[in-house]
Amino acid sequence: MVDAGSTGCRAHTFRVLPGDANAKPPRSFALRAVGEKVKSKDALASLSGKTDAEIADALLPMLTEAVEKVPARDRSMTPLYVWATAGLRVLSEVEQDELWASVDAIARAKTPFKIAPKKTRPAEDDRIPSSSAHFKTIEGTDEGFYAWLAANYLAGVDVT
């Protein structure tokens, strides 16, 4: 999971583990961070208007280091999500679309992560995951929700 924030990108690698029904409170699942987060020196928004090569140069060292934390046998089954927050929301929709198209192409070509297929028609079933779930700019309300969810998880509250 890459948090593409306004001050830089941070890749967090997690292992999802079964929960403990006997825990107080019971947990449906558990997340274990795999090593420390990996940082990119560049904020994703600062890469708007750059070439694919320049974007790759900025992001691939971080993504490569994240890949190395995943056992080789699991890499093709491990999804990659890059979600941007306020920094990208200041860009126009066209600028965001162009940047996400580059990130998508780079991730597919240069990493082994599992990425859902691109939708070929807008009328396709929205219940079927697509790459738009992997690479997107989240709304401020979503950003707030994930902060709330993380705070509750860290406090031991199972909100599932």
Side-chain angles (χ1 to χ4, degrees):
M1 178 68 179
V2 176
D3 170 6
S6 55
T7 60
C9 295
R10 292 157 297 279
H12 303 268
T13 308
F14 299 100
R15 178 173 299 281
V16 181
L17 304 168
D20 181 356
N22 298 318
K24 300 286 185 219
R27 290 187 177 257
S28 299
F29 66 92
L31 292 176
R32 181 180 304 143
V34 180
E36 295 292 318
K37 65 185 169 193
V38 182
K39 296 180 185 179
S40 167
K41 61 180 174 53
D42 299 293
L44 189 59
S46 71
L47 302 174
S48 178
K50 304 281 186 188
T51 66
D52 282 0
E54 291 169 315
I55 295 168
D57 285 346
L59 298 180
L60 282 176
M62 172 190 63
L63 293 176
T64 300
E65 196 170 336
V67 164
E68 291 170 359
K69 294 179 179 193
V70 178
R73 69 180 182 280
D74 296 334
R75 291 174 183 169
S76 66
M77 299 179 297
T78 301
L80 169 65
Y81 295 94
V82 181
W83 289 3
T85 54
L88 227 65
R89 290 195 296 265
V90 301
L91 299 177
S92 73
E93 192 170 322
V94 169
E95 291 170 317
Q96 289 183 48
D97 289 347
E98 289 173 354
L99 188 53
W100 285 127
S102 292
V103 172
D104 184 305
I106 291 162
R108 285 178 193 281
K110 304 286 185 181
T111 74
F113 289 119
K114 179 180 179 182
I115 301 167
K118 294 181 183 183
K119 287 188 177 181
T120 56
R121 298 182 312 268
E124 287 185 71
D125 190 339
D126 284 338
R127 293 171 296 175
I128 299 171
S130 76
S131 61
S132 62
H134 289 263
F135 309 108
K136 67 181 184 177
T137 307
I138 63 172
E139 299 294 328
T141 52
D142 292 333
E143 189 175 355
F145 169 76
Y146 289 119
W148 171 84
L149 187 64
N152 277 283
Y153 181 83
L154 292 171
V157 177
D158 184 358
V159 296
T160 61

